[in-house]
Amino acid sequence: MFRNVLTGAAALLLSAAFVPHAQAQSVAGAYLAGRHAAVQSDYSEAARYYAEALARDSNNVELIESTVLSYLSLGRVEQAVPLARVLEQKNETSQVARMVITADLAAREEYTTLLERESDSEGIGPWVDGLVKAWAHVGKGDVSAAVVAFDALSKEAGMQGFVMYHKALALASVGDFEGAEEIFGEAAAGAAGQTRRGVMAHAVVLAQLERHDEALTVLRSSFGEATDPELDQMIAALEAKEPLP
């Protein structure tokens, strides 16, 4: 009996999810269609269906959060912000909503507000919150406070390499290329420094120090012949001793 119920429920879910837009007139139909689209990573359709369901049930917290997540997945933070703030006003614990609000505050350079947000009630998670606050200090121009924050966070188990990578980027962003190179050169950035983005950042730091040959060595030892147009452009600039932005 239980098996038959599950089978019937699954069939209902699939049939509802494939209902054309014109037929998805109920909240449930639009919700299921949005959920199916989200599972298929079709966030544009997911956002459309969730928004349709939300128009009929505007206080549904699950629908609000699902819509926020779809907008965030599309990179449409500005559309997600009002809904994320609704969740915050309802005192709902939503990591997705907190991510959106944090991204919006950072985009608007409201660094003081980011520093003042309470981790327990307004934060995303301990590690992310720590990085956000360290970068907020950089945004305010307080590099000393940022370094203290990065160093404190790097003591967390499993976090050292990733945090040191961020510290290197932060130092480079304020022109301390020597400090950034010390981190990259000593492999203190760990696995994060060995990613494509990390290797490219290291090459840029070396180029800013006019160590073009070393930058080329870093790129070639990491990528060999497996380059792409962006890497080829970097290599050409380094060979010509031209500065990298």
Side-chain angles (χ1 to χ4, degrees):
M1 175 68 178
F2 184 63
R3 183 177 179 180
N4 290 338
V5 171
L6 285 177
T7 303
L12 179 61
L13 173 64
L14 289 173
S15 62
F18 283 98
V19 171
H21 175 64
Q23 295 178 323
Q25 295 299 315
S26 68
V27 172
Y31 168 74
L32 291 172
R35 185 167 182 175
H36 174 73
V39 169
Q40 300 298 316
S41 299
D42 187 350
Y43 298 112
S44 181
E45 282 294 281
R48 182 165 70 88
Y49 279 118
Y50 283 141
E52 178 182 315
L54 194 58
R56 296 185 173 90
D57 189 1
S58 60
N59 290 316
N60 188 309
V61 170
E62 184 177 356
L63 279 176
I64 296 172
E65 186 170 50
S66 296
T67 308
V68 169
L69 178 57
S70 296
Y71 284 141
L72 182 60
S73 300
L74 291 167
R76 287 153 56 179
V77 175
E78 68 286 349
Q79 287 181 271
V81 169
L83 293 173
R85 293 205 176 278
V86 168
L87 290 174
E88 188 173 62
Q89 290 163 6
K90 289 177 176 290
N91 295 318
E92 294 291 335
T93 302
S94 171
Q95 191 177 48
V96 171
R98 292 174 181 180
M99 288 172 64
V100 167
I101 292 170
T102 297
D104 178 58
L105 290 172
R108 291 190 282 113
E109 300 183 0
E110 295 192 16
Y111 303 121
T112 299
T113 302
L114 284 172
L115 289 168
E116 291 174 347
R117 284 175 69 82
E118 296 292 335
S119 296
D120 291 341
S121 60
E122 301 173 302
I124 299 168
W127 291 355
V128 176
D129 293 340
L131 286 172
V132 166
K133 289 181 185 266
W135 276 105
H137 283 302
V138 176
K140 289 190 68 176
D142 192 346
V143 179
S144 296
V147 168
V148 170
F150 282 124
D151 288 344
L153 191 60
S154 71
K155 293 180 173 59
E156 297 286 338
M159 283 292 287
Q160 182 176 14
F162 189 64
V163 173
M164 294 303 287
Y165 168 67
H166 275 265
K167 181 181 176 182
L169 297 183
L171 292 174
S173 74
V174 296
D176 185 0
F177 300 110
E178 291 84 359
E181 167 52 19
E182 184 176 347
I183 293 172
F184 281 123
E186 294 180 358
Q194 298 169 21
T195 62
R196 179 180 185 277
R197 184 170 296 194
V199 171
M200 291 171 70
H202 188 188
V204 169
V205 166
L206 287 168
Q208 292 290 339
L209 294 170
E210 298 185 356
R211 293 159 61 177
H212 300 85
D213 291 339
E214 291 177 64
L216 283 168
T217 298
V218 165
L219 292 177
R220 286 169 174 157
S221 63
S222 298
F223 300 109
E225 299 299 321
T227 59
D228 55 45
E230 187 176 17
L231 287 168
D232 290 338
Q233 188 175 13
M234 287 185 69
I235 290 170
L238 290 169
E239 288 176 335
K241 309 295 187 196
E242 295 175 355
L244 293 177

